[in-house]
Amino acid sequence: MGFFKNATVCRVNASQRLSAALIEEALQRIPFRPVGSLEYKSHGFVHPTEMRITDVLTLPVNTCVFFALRQDEKKIPPAALTELVEARVKKIENEQMRKIGRKERKIIKEELVDQLLPNVLPTQRITRAYVDLAHDYLVIDTTSPARADDIKTDLASNLFLGGVTGQFLPPSIDSRRVSNTMSDWLLNG
């Protein structure tokens, strides 16, 4: 597991103290499963260092609990699909001597997708994160708000159940203080 290249930081506001066991239990509710043959997407949590399905989905290190969200997605290039649809339409029009309408084109496109999808290799995207239990922070290795929301939504929907309530809030940071600290660090080391 490499270092985080980015960081989206959230404050964890929970009704009770979070623990490594509580986070592991929450992640176990959404384990990763491979994309089905006729599915476009699949997502779930995997071990942060092994990036595959394992019995344990977290890696506790000191007061931090590391985990990862894996998202697999199958994509058929739109231009290639359009070309295949046009070839099939042209063949039918030539054989049956009739024009193909919009509805029939849509049916042909859906049939082609059903034929192609099982053979398409999924692209894999891993987003790592950790919860700092001592300071109540969630740190996500991304700058994309959408990817950060994926982790926050999946984690919150399974972590804040039963007697535990809570939410993820943006950290309260004074921007002047951060810039002064950074400038001081650059000047003085």
Side-chain angles (χ1 to χ4, degrees), residues 161-176:
L161 292 173
V164 183
T165 58
Q167 58 188 340
F168 298 113
L169 304 170
S172 54
I173 297 175
D174 181 9
S175 60
R176 280 182 310 153

Side-chain angles (χ1 to χ4, degrees), residues 53-181:
I53 305 163
T54 59
D55 292 339
V56 179
L57 300 176
T58 58
L59 176 65
V61 177
N62 296 328
T63 62
C64 297
V65 180
F66 290 82
F67 57 94
L69 179 69
R70 178 173 164 180
Q71 297 167 305
D72 284 9
E73 184 176 4
K74 291 182 180 182
K75 290 183 182 177
I76 300 171
L81 185 58
T82 301
E83 190 176 315
L84 290 170
V85 169
E86 291 305 318
R88 175 90 44 101
V89 165
K90 197 169 271 187
K91 180 182 175 190
I92 292 170
E93 286 178 344
N94 289 339
E95 288 175 356
Q96 298 179 5
M97 302 296 238
R98 65 181 181 90
K99 278 287 200 197
I100 301 293
R102 236 181 16 214
K103 285 183 181 179
E104 198 169 353
R105 273 181 194 269
K106 185 177 178 185
I107 292 170
I108 290 169
K109 183 178 179 180
E110 289 170 357
E111 288 172 356
L112 282 168
V113 168
D114 288 347
Q115 290 172 10
L116 295 172
L117 206 55
N119 299 319
V120 174
L121 294 174
T123 57
Q124 184 183 106
R125 193 167 69 191
I126 305 286
T127 307
R128 292 178 183 86
Y130 70 88
V131 175
D132 183 341
L133 300 173
H135 301 100
D136 293 326
Y137 280 113
L138 168 64
V139 180
I140 306 166
D141 185 14
T142 186
T143 56
S144 164
R147 288 177 79 175
D149 284 344
D150 289 345
I151 283 196
K152 289 190 289 185
T153 301
D154 285 345
L155 187 59
S157 66
N158 291 292
L159 186 59
F160 303 132
L161 292 173
V164 183
T165 58
Q167 58 188 340
F168 298 113
L169 304 170
S172 54
I173 297 175
D174 181 9
S175 60
R176 280 182 310 153
R177 188 167 162 242
V178 171
S179 64
N180 290 343
T181 303

Side-chain angles (χ1 to χ4, degrees), residues 4-61:
F4 281 32
K5 294 178 183 162
N6 304 292
T8 297
V9 181
C10 302
R11 194 95 165 123
V12 179
N13 182 14
S15 63
Q16 74 179 55
R17 198 86 179 140
L18 297 181
S19 67
L22 194 61
I23 294 169
E24 175 70 34
E25 182 183 323
L27 300 184
Q28 286 292 344
R29 293 186 186 107
I30 308 179
F32 175 77
R33 64 170 185 70
V35 181
S37 63
L38 292 176
E39 291 179 315
Y40 282 101
K41 294 180 182 181
S42 178
H43 78 282
F45 291 100
V46 293
H47 193 274
T49 58
E50 298 182 31
M51 301 307 154
R52 60 184 174 84
I53 305 163
T54 59
D55 292 339
V56 179
L57 300 176
T58 58
L59 176 65
V61 177

